[in-house]
Amino acid sequence: MSFEHRHLLGIEPLKPHEITAILDLADEYVALNRRPEKHSDVLAGLTQINMFFENSTRTQASFELAGKRLGADVMNMAMQASSIKKGETLIDTAMTLNAMHPDLLVVRHPHSGAVDLLAQKVNCAVLNAGDGKHEHPTQALLDALTIRRSKGRLHRLNIAICGDIAHSRVARSNLILLGKMENRIRLIGPPTLVPGQFAEFGAEIYDDMREGLKDVDVVMMLRLQKERMDGGFIPSEREYYHRYGLDAEKLALAKPDAIVMHPGPMNRGVEIDGTLADDINRSVIQEQVEMGVAVRMAAMDLLARNLRAERQEKAG
Amino acid sequence: MTTLFTNARLIDPEGGTDAPGQLLVRNGRIAAVDAASDPAALLAAQGLRAEDVTVQDCGGKCLAPGIVDIGVKVCEPGERHKESYKTAGLAAAAGGVTTIVTRPDTAPAIDSPETLEFVTRRAQADTPVNVLPMAALTKGREGREMTEIGFLMDAGAVAFSDCDHVVTDTKVFQRALAYARSCGALVIAHPQEPVLSRGAAATSGKFAALYGLPAVSPMAERMGLDRDIALLEMTGAKYHADQITTARALPALERAKANGLDITAGTSIHHLTLNELDVAGYRSFFKVKPPLRAEDDRLAVVEAVRTGLIDIISSMHTPQDEESKRLPFEEAAAGAVALETLLPAALRLYHAELVDLPTLFRAMALNPARRLGLDSGRLAVDAPADLVLFDADVPFVLDRFKLRSKSQNTPYDGQRMQGRVEATFVAGEAVYRRD
């Protein structure tokens, strides 16, 4: 297995064959997860700590389940509630946790680069579960796995990413991953939410959704992140839905077999039509959740192998 | 006390020359500058006996006017653990800086004659180089009420600045400029559109987009400068823009100068030698204000220094302790120490053949001295013998833990530099000699 990283901090440092390696292993875990007895002990004896400095239900649950299915001892820490309020710095928190000898640290933080900073200070493997507006690598990997299983390949596809790109780490990680795998990427949204600089990464930018959706294979919708808005990015939710909400009429412009994705949680009637989101012929939103657990199992498995190898080398 | 500097490579920004020669210092002032290389002839012409003169053999190294650095933050009062007058003075001397012009963005701000007097006393007691204080333009640097500009000038303030706080209320700024003009005071402002740049940690562009950092368009600088220029047309004040760092602001500056406004502009050594990509993996030592720019902007600003459109290079020395830097990039404090690295970093431009040495010292010594009404910054008879002797070529690797500042937040840590200060003289006395 060729995956030589200590941490999973982003998609950016990964090579295409490493992305493929994670996805191949994740495929095996999808099979495991569908069995009645869904347990393995590749992480037995290892401690996984989930540190979420920002609210999360889905990602945290997914990481927790992934760790437990692989036999790790999993602990969740809701960081807003604890030491941050007491004025402890991120580094202090990291050092404190490090002293408890965790093996896998899953971190989400509201500031870009915070997880990189933390990774420099601890002795274990760190998985980025989302840092500010920077990266959310496991989300991009689970999206890639969903696309690969649904389309049979992960290259030469036309993929549209729609909505609040500016505030989205999901969009950044997806843009990098899908670009590395040689797909054509379109970014669709109002100019207030789609920074023009992304054109320099080879993406095509559309402010007309109908034009942007023409003949695409994959439509990735993003959540309109209300909590991230300073205010004034869009005139109103209803105008946004009218121009950029995905409904059957707009989707008809895409390829007939185009799939619809959403990282969740959805704002029905804001960025996506509720009926469309539930349409099992088009929407793969539920599969995405399923793939999420498998991809996280694969990522933690690979990091744990490297961690064990590193420790053996030190001991031997 | 009479000293003869022989066998020197004299860097004279006033004449724009870089040539071998010798220089005589008597009673703290330059007594003679001589292009010939015969010490005996010079002494005879000056009516001096050889035994009354100390000879400093420069060994062919560069002798230039000492650097006059506008915009140095010494963290007294308030944060002496970051930098004191003593450590700043040692760092300045080791960096060839003979005059530091201190910033008022301390805690509390230097905005009253009493605070200014405290600072002046501290500076005189502890600092081997000249210290000239600036004072805040508005009380508490809050942009609401102007400070006692007249009293502060009497107490020794050489310029007025709210530093990186932009006076947002245009009416307040207009009145402060008009009042400052009546006192003959120099106002130093930070040209930046404050709303557009709020919360920004990087310059908008490919880099900030990829790293997901809150960013400001480089246009915000031009917008801020445009406003300030309009106010200068209204008030006729004496104005200096602390840092011009973007190409788009340069035409506006050029027009304002052509229109005869009393305007000068500076830039920081970091914006001349680093660009946005240096931040790489969120390295907070590279977080400065305004943020580092694109390479095109850097080159445009270097060219503006060469042509003289940008008048002054400053260190923008801003000490920060480890705690305020060891944070996620967005939360980390901005600023870098630079007194000791200013000259070696500036020499990068010389070694890259972008700017010659007389031009560098025009921007680091002559122009800032002129702008403040000082007679230093020159190699001329009767000018103060504030001098720096340096080897322009010797290579070294910078180790931040060897810096004399109390804070060691330099972006050049571990980088290869070329050029090192051998000795620094203030009023003819050596305040630093390399061991």
Side-chain angles (χ1 to χ4, degrees):
Chain A
M1 193 67 66
S2 55
F3 180 82
E4 293 178 359
H5 294 273
R6 175 126 204 243
H7 308 295
L8 180 64
L9 299 177
I11 298 298
E12 215 267 318
L14 301 184
K15 296 186 181 74
H17 74 266
E18 293 172 322
I19 293 168
T20 306
I22 300 176
L23 299 184
D24 290 348
L25 184 59
D27 265 330
E28 293 174 27
Y29 282 120
V30 173
L32 175 75
N33 287 339
R34 287 180 179 176
R35 291 210 298 261
E37 286 290 324
K38 25 184 154 306
H39 197 81
S40 146
D41 21 80
V42 299
L43 298 186
L46 299 184
T47 303
Q48 171 193 344
I49 301 183
N50 298 334
M51 285 171 82
F52 279 66
F53 293 89
E54 201 179 66
N55 273 327
S56 161
T57 314
R58 309 159 65 100
T59 305
Q60 186 172 338
S62 184
F63 268 110
E64 183 177 356
L65 196 56
K68 285 182 169 162
R69 284 201 178 146
L70 294 180
D73 298 316
V74 185
M75 182 173 83
N76 287 317
M77 296 186 68
M79 297 307 297
Q80 303 107 310
S82 68
S83 50
I84 294 300
K85 288 226 170 104
K86 296 173 194 157
E88 192 177 63
T89 67
L90 180 63
I91 303 278
D92 289 337
T93 308
M95 300 309 284
T96 306
L97 277 180
N98 194 45
M100 299 179 193
H101 298 291
D103 305 288
L104 296 155
L105 209 51
V106 178
V107 187
R108 169 171 288 190
H109 196 280
H111 287 131
S112 304
V115 182
D116 296 52
L117 179 67
L118 196 143
Q120 293 163 19
K121 308 289 172 187
V122 295
N123 300 325
C124 60
V126 176
L127 289 99
N128 182 358
D131 63 324
K133 298 182 285 179
H134 180 216
E135 282 228 43
H136 190 355
T138 55
Q139 178 71 44
L141 288 163
L142 77 87
D143 288 340
L145 184 61
T146 310
I147 295 170
R148 195 172 82 166
R149 290 172 68 101
S150 171
K151 291 282 155 201
R153 65 175 199 272
L154 190 58
H155 58 273
R156 295 197 186 175
L157 293 166
N158 286 319
I159 300 171
I161 307 178
C162 314
D164 183 2
I165 315 279
H167 297 96
S168 175
R169 52 198 174 211
V170 175
R172 276 177 184 74
S173 287
N174 264 315
L175 182 64
I176 300 168
L177 188 152
L178 297 169
K180 280 184 197 261
M181 306 312 280
E182 296 178 17
N183 295 283
R184 285 183 70 173
I185 300 156
R186 302 178 186 179
L187 302 177
I188 303 173
T192 47
L193 295 175
V194 182
Q197 292 91 9
F198 280 112
E200 293 181 47
F201 299 107
E204 297 162 46
I205 294 178
Y206 290 86
D207 49 22
D208 181 335
M209 192 169 191
R210 288 183 171 80
E211 207 182 309
L213 286 183
K214 263 177 209 154
D215 299 322
V216 298
D217 300 286
V218 177
V219 185
M220 301 178 107
M221 299 305 298
L222 294 173
R223 177 180 164 78
L224 184 66
Q225 309 213 15
K226 286 187 220 164
E227 72 271 20
R228 290 270 179 80
M229 297 272 176
D230 283 335
F233 286 84
I234 52 164
S236 70
E237 285 182 9
R238 63 181 189 178
E239 180 163 329
Y240 184 79
Y241 181 66
H242 177 70
R243 299 190 65 199
Y244 298 104
L246 186 66
D247 55 20
E249 185 233 318
K250 292 195 192 96
L251 183 61
L253 294 161
K255 282 193 185 155
D257 62 346
I259 54 169
V260 175
M261 306 175 73
H262 193 297
M266 279 181 283
N267 296 307
R268 289 169 188 261
V270 179
E271 70 255 353
I272 190 164
D273 173 59
T275 322
L276 186 59
D278 298 332
D279 179 354
I280 53 163
N281 295 316
R282 305 307 293 272
S283 161
V284 294
I285 296 171
Q286 295 308 313
E287 280 88 332
Q288 284 177 275
V289 178
E290 184 190 359
M291 296 310 125
V293 178
V295 151
R296 288 169 181 129
M297 290 165 84
M300 289 197 288
D301 181 359
L302 290 172
L303 291 176
R305 290 181 202 183
N306 291 348
L307 192 69
R308 284 186 164 130
E310 184 190 311
R311 285 175 183 170
Q312 230 156 34
E313 209 170 289
K314 263 187 202 161
Chain B
M1 171 90 181
T2 306
T3 310
L4 179 63
F5 292 83
T6 60
N7 193 18
R9 176 178 165 190
L10 297 176
I11 311 297
D12 175 16
E14 212 171 18
T17 55
D18 173 352
Q22 49 188 346
L23 184 140
L24 184 72
V25 170
R26 197 191 308 180
N27 300 328
R29 294 199 169 255
I30 295 172
V33 185
D34 184 9
S37 55
D38 181 359
L42 178 64
L43 294 182
Q46 293 284 322
L48 289 164
R49 292 182 307 173
E51 55 267 37
D52 296 336
V53 175
T54 313
V55 173
Q56 165 84 48
D57 184 351
C58 299
K61 290 175 182 147
C62 298
L63 187 66
I67 295 167
V68 178
D69 192 359
I70 297 186
V72 174
K73 181 165 178 182
V74 180
C75 307
E76 291 189 60
E79 295 176 302
R80 202 188 290 179
H81 68 285
K82 291 187 179 177
E83 189 83 288
S84 66
Y85 274 95
K86 185 166 188 176
T87 52
L90 292 171
V97 177
T98 50
T99 300
I100 56 177
V101 182
T102 57
R103 301 210 307 254
D105 55 341
T106 46
I110 300 168
D111 60 358
S112 69
E114 291 75 15
T115 323
L116 191 77
E117 277 160 19
F118 162 79
V119 166
T120 310
R121 269 202 312 277
R122 293 280 309 128
Q124 279 166 353
D126 271 348
T127 318
V129 301
N130 306 309
V131 179
L132 299 174
M134 292 196 275
L137 182 66
T138 68
K139 287 173 190 161
R141 300 195 300 130
E142 286 172 352
R144 285 199 283 272
E145 301 165 58
M146 67 178 94
T147 51
E148 295 172 310
I149 294 175
F151 281 159
L152 284 160
M153 286 183 82
D154 293 344
V158 295
F160 294 81
S161 178
D162 278 359
C163 302
D164 63 337
H165 286 189
V166 177
V167 182
T168 331
D169 188 323
T170 305
K171 195 159 236 170
V172 171
F173 196 40
Q174 180 213 331
R175 288 180 184 146
L177 285 167
Y179 192 88
R181 179 181 175 271
S182 75
C183 303
L186 173 66
V187 174
I188 300 184
H190 182 70
Q192 193 70 214
E193 211 296 311
V195 180
L196 210 52
S197 56
R198 188 184 296 151
T203 303
S204 60
K206 195 175 167 183
F207 175 79
L210 182 63
Y211 278 74
L213 290 171
V216 57
S217 164
M219 199 65 94
E221 181 172 289
R222 180 186 131 193
M223 290 166 74
L225 185 65
D226 278 339
R227 179 198 74 156
D228 289 3
I229 289 172
L231 289 171
L232 293 187
E233 287 184 26
M234 290 164 70
T235 59
K238 193 168 160 186
Y239 174 99
H240 175 71
D242 66 348
Q243 298 178 72
I244 294 296
T245 59
T246 60
R248 282 229 168 94
L250 295 171
L253 177 64
E254 196 166 15
R255 274 197 306 277
K257 285 188 166 184
N259 290 342
L261 296 178
D262 193 355
I263 181 172
T264 51
T267 193
S268 93
I269 188 62
H270 300 115
H271 291 91
L272 287 172
T273 52
L274 304 168
N275 70 26
E276 56 183 351
L277 300 180
D278 287 306
V279 174
Y282 301 102
R283 294 191 288 170
S284 60
F285 277 15
F286 290 81
K287 184 176 180 182
V288 291
K289 199 174 173 184
L292 292 175
R293 305 301 193 182
E295 178 66 0
D296 289 350
D297 280 324
R298 184 187 78 86
L299 291 172
V301 172
V302 171
E303 174 62 12
V305 166
R306 190 188 68 77
T307 62
L309 177 58
I310 287 182
D311 306 84
I312 292 169
I313 301 173
S314 293
S315 70
M316 295 310 289
H317 182 81
T318 305
Q320 297 289 2
D321 54 20
E322 304 282 308
E323 281 65 39
S324 30
K325 283 290 187 184
R326 279 175 51 183
L327 290 170
F329 196 81
E330 283 170 57
E331 291 185 309
V337 293
L339 278 168
E340 274 172 89
T341 49
L342 173 59
L343 181 57
L347 288 171
R348 284 185 172 183
L349 305 178
Y350 162 68
H351 291 298
E353 295 177 4
L354 295 170
V355 181
D356 62 22
L357 289 176
T359 306
L360 275 182
F361 279 86
R362 181 181 71 194
M364 295 195 295
L366 180 65
N367 284 346
R370 276 189 180 156
R371 193 54 169 150
L372 297 168
L374 311 174
D375 57 357
S376 58
R378 306 174 297 147
L379 294 188
V381 173
D382 279 343
D386 293 351
L387 301 165
V388 54
L389 176 64
F390 65 97
D391 182 331
D393 300 310
V394 61
F396 69 101
V397 175
L398 189 97
D399 174 359
R400 72 185 183 104
F401 296 108
K402 292 197 174 139
L403 294 178
R404 287 157 184 81
S405 283
K406 268 194 193 173
S407 299
Q408 285 140 343
N409 52 306
T410 172
Y412 302 111
D413 185 38
Q415 292 195 23
R416 291 166 194 278
M417 312 291 275
Q418 207 178 342
R420 192 165 56 191
V421 174
E422 295 293 324
T424 305
F425 303 86
V426 172
E429 302 286 335
V431 292
Y432 169 78
R433 278 185 200 279
R434 195 170 66 78
D435 313 323

